Amino acid sequence: ILNVEQSPQSLHVQEGDSTNFTCSFPSSNFYALHWYRWETAKSPEALFVMTLNGDEKKKGRISATLNTKEGYSYLYIKGSQPEDSATYLCAFKRYGGATNKLIFGTGTLLAVQP
Amino acid sequence: SAVISQKPSRDICQRGTSLTIQCQVDSQVTMMFWYRQQPGQSLTLIATANQGSEATYESGFVIDKFPISRPNLTFSTLTVSNMSPEDSSIYLCSVEAGDTYEQYFGPGTRLTVT
């Protein structure tokens, strides 16, 4: 059974706070790790695709790191803004299998208070 | 990137009826994916739809319950048949970009079965 775990389940922060979330995934047969940002009634927005151990990626105030040997990724948001409020999903893709299947965690719900 | 639209955006249906969800992509893609998210659960892959061949279903999903059509490279439909309240979910279609590993999602169809 392939499990992707995300923590915390939800997070309430004040505007200007920095925050981070964790995604844990199986460390064997790693292929890629995806991060998405999902606002209600909108399409999940692709943030990062990470493939190499030690990868660090940045997009504005959001950055992510990847450790494939121990099976975790961190997502950081610097200086949170109300518009960052959304559910942040990570998804794991492994080698093998007949499809390019993404295995998702349940997400971290972020609420940023002005 | 790919722009994906889905119809309907939401629906409330009676148990025992069927609903067909449409997915349109603004470019030609080989594989399209159908996911669902039940309340409080992870996004879960239902099936992969290739143009010109039968869809490939994940464990726990069957063609009689979730028939899929893929008539061309920009369009697919998913039917949720003989619905029960357990089928209340958000259904999303997705496509994969060629060589960038990225997977793009539609805005989803929010289905409530009463």
Side-chain angles (χ1 to χ4, degrees), chain A residues 2 10 22 32 40 45 48 52 64 72 78 83-84 96 103 112:
Chain A
L2 298 173
S10 64
T22 303
T40 304
E45 174 194 355
F48 304 113
L52 298 175
Y72 65 84
K78 184 177 178 182
E83 57 265 30
D84 295 328
I103 302 164
V112 182

Side-chain angles (χ1 to χ4, degrees), chain A residues 11-103:
Chain A
L11 199 52
H12 294 256
V13 302
Q14 293 295 122
E15 182 174 354
D17 288 349
S18 293
T19 186
N20 65 84
F21 325 132
T22 303
C23 173
S24 301
F25 52 87
S27 55
S28 60
N29 297 319
F30 176 85
Y31 187 73
L33 193 283
H34 296 240
W35 280 101
Y36 288 89
R37 179 175 175 275
W38 193 10
E39 291 182 74
T40 304
K42 294 186 178 179
S43 303
E45 174 194 355
L47 291 174
F48 304 113
V49 181
M50 309 180 81
T51 57
L52 298 175
N53 183 46
D55 245 357
E56 291 190 29
K57 295 209 171 182
K58 188 174 181 183
K59 188 176 185 177
R61 294 179 290 99
I62 305 176
S63 59
T65 61
L66 179 67
N67 183 323
T68 61
K69 294 185 178 180
E70 296 182 42
Y72 65 84
S73 175
Y74 294 137
L75 188 79
Y76 301 91
I77 302 179
K78 184 177 178 182
S80 302
Q81 300 296 309
E83 57 265 30
D84 295 328
S85 298
T87 297
Y88 291 82
L89 300 171
C90 71
F92 164 76
K93 190 181 287 185
R94 67 182 179 99
Y95 275 111
T99 66
N100 296 331
K101 178 179 176 178
L102 286 175
I103 302 164

